[in-house]
Amino acid sequence: MVENKSPVQIKRRKRRRKVCQFCADKKVIIDYKDTFGYKRLVTDRGKIVPKRNSGVCAKHQRKLAIAIKRARFMSLIPFCVD
């Protein structure tokens, strides 16, 4: 006979919350002229990385988006990569 087994419980791990780099370093200023600081916050295709992937808080993500868009407009960083 086949025994009815209870459903297997799925173990869920709590993920460690990412800490915003800009909140941790109070001295860092988000500016459109700092193009080398945006290398890891922009994909190789030229898109802005979402905050869930980058670990930046909402306040600094808004400032980053504005700074990246200004740098694109001033042609400091490309809109897209061919």
Side-chain angles (χ1 to χ4, degrees):
M1 292 190 179
V2 178
E3 295 179 18
N4 291 334
K5 294 184 178 180
S6 63
V8 178
Q9 293 180 349
I10 300 171
K11 292 183 180 180
R12 296 187 184 241
R13 291 181 15 193
K14 289 185 178 179
R15 292 188 179 190
R16 202 175 119 210
R17 190 175 178 103
K18 295 180 183 177
V19 179
C20 176
Q21 304 154 6
F22 300 105
C23 290
D25 298 333
K26 301 281 183 183
K27 296 179 182 178
V28 177
I29 298 171
I30 299 171
D31 190 24
Y32 72 94
K33 292 173 264 182
D34 181 26
T35 57
F36 296 109
Y38 303 141
K39 291 293 182 186
R40 70 175 186 285
L41 300 170
V42 178
T43 63
D44 57 343
R45 307 284 285 180
K47 295 182 177 182
I48 301 171
V49 177
K51 72 179 193 131
R52 66 178 176 269
N53 294 351
S54 63
V56 180
C57 67
K59 174 182 157 183
H60 288 112
Q61 180 71 19
R62 286 190 295 269
K63 289 183 179 181
L64 266 174
I66 292 169
I68 290 171
K69 289 173 186 176
R70 283 184 183 162
R72 283 178 181 161
F73 183 74
M74 302 291 287
S75 71
L76 298 174
I77 56 175
F79 278 95
C80 62
V81 180
D82 291 331

